[in-house]
Amino acid sequence: MAAAFLVSVVLLLSAAAAAAVFSGSPATLNLERAFPTNHGVELSQLRARDMLRHRRMLLQSSNNGVADFSVQGTFDPFQVGLYFTRVQIGTPPVEFYVQIDTGSDVLWVSCSSCNGCPQTSGLQIQLDFFDPGHSSTSSLISCSDQRCNGGIQTSDASCSGRDGQCSYDFRYGDGSGTSGYYVSDMMHFTTIFEGSVVANSSAPVVFGCSNQQSGDLTKSDRAVDGIFGFGQQEMSVISQLSSQGIAPRVFSHCLKGDSSGGGILVLGEIMEPNIIYTPLVPLQPHYNLELQSISVSGQTLQIDPSVFATSNNRGTIVDSGTTLAYLAEEAYDPFVNAITAAIPQSVRSVVSRGTPCYLISTSVTDIFPQASLNFAGGASMVLRPQDYLIQQNSIGGAAVWCIGFQKIQGQGVTILGDLVLKDKIIVYDLAGQRIGWANYDCSLTVNVSAAMGTGRSEFVNAGEIGGSTSLRDGLRLTETGFVAFFVHIILICYLVFL
């Protein structure tokens, strides 16, 4: 029986790096892995994890609940990971570990009055509780507050209580949930401006104070202090900071696809000449795109375009919280059949627990074709074999590569998870209502535009860099500045040893 082990990977700005940033000399952001990852994970384990997440997502599509869609910063076929970051809230500041979530809007943390909140975490992090009474800048949000009214319109808030307190009640399809009330307080962060780094910046934000949790949220083995929603609505922190002129209404990530893991997540736009964009489908709770067709070896597959149409419980969603990738049921067999038909007949095919697999003794790029997902506006996402295959174990010296794309029985949902998103710059342009991408080596330096309409940009290193990289070559900073949430990001990884 497989045994699960836990490792944590921490993205830290070292003391030396911090000093370098303030002095304008070379700075590094080092991503370190505590343990090597050299054991495979069965696809069934990855599917089970994804299904748990998708039940939450599908619940939101049907009843306007909130889905837990946390961002995973690293794709590795040998691990399952989730991104966490540290945020400081209150006066004096208190630090909280929160899960980054692209599928919900609200930042919420456990509060001192919480019933059912875990007291300890198996992730080797110190849990804390927010106490509004201990912060001199804290204030409650009433039902008459305009910000509460905005949350009610998007089902992020409610006002059913007699006390006039703006509250929330989020229920997930896996049985977990959280409820509480809204508070306004100061969030502390680092803002980067031209010529300097300004520490201890702060801005008032509205966030949830959780006083009750249930289900998986109460389990101490992977407990954190809360969830940081990166959704599109007014209650999201990214929207709040944008409305105050502190950060642009865009965020980006670049996730390394090799076993070393890592990458960056920034509030800002990663600039790359080859980025192509497609519009977001309007009025959707998730990051929905209009997928129009799929091609293999340049040939468009015979799939009815209505299969990809966005409707209730249907459509194409970008979700970096999903490990694999999922095709609508009607598109899955045509895709797999086209891949199998394109490879030499000498390649031995096998079926592992219902998944088509292949025994390969050479490079998959020499055998398997390219595929492409074709979106509205003429934007195509080109998939290398490594973007739709996942390596399992080996048999007789031959590597076993399996189709990483899965299907959800009885569902017409296509979900683009880390299998597809790795080794790409992904830009979520909420202001422009579009998503862009470009193939990229995410261990290299990326150009990040954080200006609020100034058109100016700076550079941020996305992975392991040496001391030779300097701010003169890297951070060319803007007048308006941006919030540097790309430091102090923690990746929690679950390794399954077979």
Side-chain angles (χ1 to χ4, degrees):
M1 178 178 292
F5 290 81
L6 176 70
V7 298
S8 64
V9 180
V10 183
L11 179 61
L12 294 175
L13 180 63
S14 65
V21 169
F22 281 96
S23 65
S25 56
T28 64
L29 297 176
N30 296 321
L31 190 67
E32 301 177 358
R33 184 179 299 284
F35 301 100
T37 57
N38 54 4
H39 296 270
V41 174
E42 285 285 352
L43 281 171
S44 59
Q45 298 280 343
L46 301 179
R47 283 196 299 264
R49 178 198 171 278
D50 285 343
M51 288 303 100
L52 181 63
R53 184 169 304 280
H54 298 164
R55 284 198 295 272
R56 296 179 177 184
M57 175 193 68
L58 296 176
L59 177 67
Q60 178 170 2
S61 298
S62 60
N63 69 359
N64 293 323
V66 175
D68 179 13
F69 235 19
S70 54
V71 171
Q72 292 187 326
T74 299
F75 175 85
D76 186 334
F78 306 138
Q79 68 180 358
V80 179
L82 295 174
Y83 258 132
F84 291 75
T85 189
R86 302 172 187 173
V87 296
Q88 290 188 332
I89 303 173
T91 306
V94 178
E95 188 173 75
F96 300 95
Y97 291 87
V98 289
Q99 180 180 348
I100 296 176
D101 180 354
T102 61
S104 65
D105 304 315
V106 174
L107 166 66
W108 63 263
V109 297
S110 299
C111 280
S112 54
S113 59
C114 187
N115 179 22
C117 292
Q119 303 291 316
T120 60
S121 175
L123 304 181
Q124 300 180 2
I125 59 176
Q126 180 66 46
L127 298 183
D128 214 327
F129 295 88
F130 181 76
D131 188 343
H134 288 174
S135 173
S136 62
T137 51
S138 174
S139 62
L140 300 180
I141 300 298
S142 68
C143 289
S144 60
D145 193 295
Q146 182 177 356
R147 293 167 293 184
C148 183
N149 293 331
I152 292 174
Q153 297 300 316
T154 58
S155 301
D156 286 328
S158 62
C159 273
S160 57
R162 302 177 184 176
D163 55 3
Q165 174 67 46
C166 188
S167 59
Y168 68 89
D169 188 348
F170 302 152
R171 299 296 162 182
Y172 304 120
D174 63 352
S176 64
T178 177
S179 59
Y181 55 93
Y182 281 107
V183 176
S184 175
D185 210 334
M186 303 303 293
M187 173 180 282
H188 306 269
F189 42 78
T190 299
T191 304
I192 300 180
F193 293 87
E194 183 166 8
S196 65
V197 176
V198 180
N200 299 323
S201 299
S202 61
V205 297
V206 174
F207 60 95
C209 196
S210 175
N211 55 23
Q212 186 168 10
Q213 294 174 24
S214 61
D216 278 355
L217 293 175
T218 67
K219 295 181 178 179
S220 60
D221 60 336
R222 49 183 174 177
V224 289
D225 292 314
I227 291 179
F228 194 162
F230 268 73
Q232 305 182 55
Q233 305 301 332
E234 293 182 15
M235 296 291 283
S236 71
V237 169
I238 190 170
S239 293
Q240 293 185 57
L241 294 180
S242 175
S243 67
Q244 298 177 54
I246 295 173
R249 198 161 177 257
V250 54
F251 66 97
S252 313
H253 58 67
C254 194
L255 311 178
K256 293 171 62 178
D258 59 30
S259 60
S260 64
I264 63 168
L265 172 68
V266 299
L267 294 191
E269 181 178 2
I270 298 178
M271 305 296 293
E272 215 281 330
N274 297 320
I275 290 183
I276 56 177
Y277 288 89
T278 188
L280 283 166
V281 178
L283 304 177
Q284 297 298 312
H286 304 295
Y287 291 110
N288 283 70
L289 303 180
E290 184 183 341
L291 178 62
Q292 297 180 333
S293 66
I294 301 175
S295 302
V296 174
S297 298
Q299 300 297 314
T300 303
L301 303 184
Q302 297 300 309
I303 302 172
D304 189 334
S306 65
V307 168
F308 305 118
T310 300
S311 62
N312 189 34
N313 290 347
R314 298 188 68 90
T316 300
I317 298 169
V318 176
D319 173 29
S320 58
T322 291
T323 303
L324 301 172
Y326 293 78
L327 282 176
E329 186 172 11
E330 301 93 328
Y332 179 81
D333 287 339
F335 177 77
V336 173
N337 292 340
I339 296 296
T340 303
I343 62 177
Q345 294 183 353
S346 59
V347 175
R348 182 183 172 189
S349 300
V350 295
V351 176
S352 174
R353 301 187 181 183
T355 300
C357 301
Y358 312 89
L359 301 182
I360 307 298
S361 56
T362 60
S363 171
V364 292
T365 57
D366 297 333
I367 298 174
F368 287 86
Q370 282 191 344
S372 65
L373 306 176
N374 307 311
F375 295 90
S380 292
M381 180 180 289
V382 177
L383 305 181
R384 308 163 301 160
Q386 297 92 328
D387 296 330
Y388 61 79
L389 296 172
I390 183 170
Q391 186 176 359
Q392 291 289 274
N393 51 6
S394 60
I395 299 177
V400 178
W401 286 82
C402 299
I403 296 291
F405 274 73
Q406 308 294 302
K407 64 179 174 181
I408 307 176
Q409 295 288 347
Q411 297 290 342
V413 180
T414 295
I415 303 172
L416 307 182
D418 290 344
L419 178 68
V420 172
L421 303 180
K422 62 182 171 60
D423 297 321
K424 292 179 178 67
I425 293 170
I426 308 293
V427 178
Y428 303 76
D429 181 3
L430 307 187
Q433 282 296 286
R434 60 181 186 168
I435 286 184
W437 59 82
N439 291 335
Y440 198 83
D441 182 351
C442 292
S443 65
L444 302 177
T445 300
V446 295
N447 180 5
V448 180
S449 173
M452 304 285 290
T454 66
R456 305 182 66 172
S457 61
E458 62 281 332
F459 294 81
V460 176
N461 190 280
E464 299 171 356
I465 59 176
S468 62
T469 301
S470 72
L471 291 181
R472 289 188 299 273
D473 299 325
L475 293 174
R476 290 212 312 263
L477 307 175
T478 69
E479 294 176 354
T480 304
F482 72 103
V483 183
F485 281 121
F486 54 84
V487 291
H488 303 303
I489 294 176
I490 297 176
L491 175 65
I492 304 300
C493 306
Y494 295 92
L495 267 64
V496 182
F497 290 78
L498 301 181

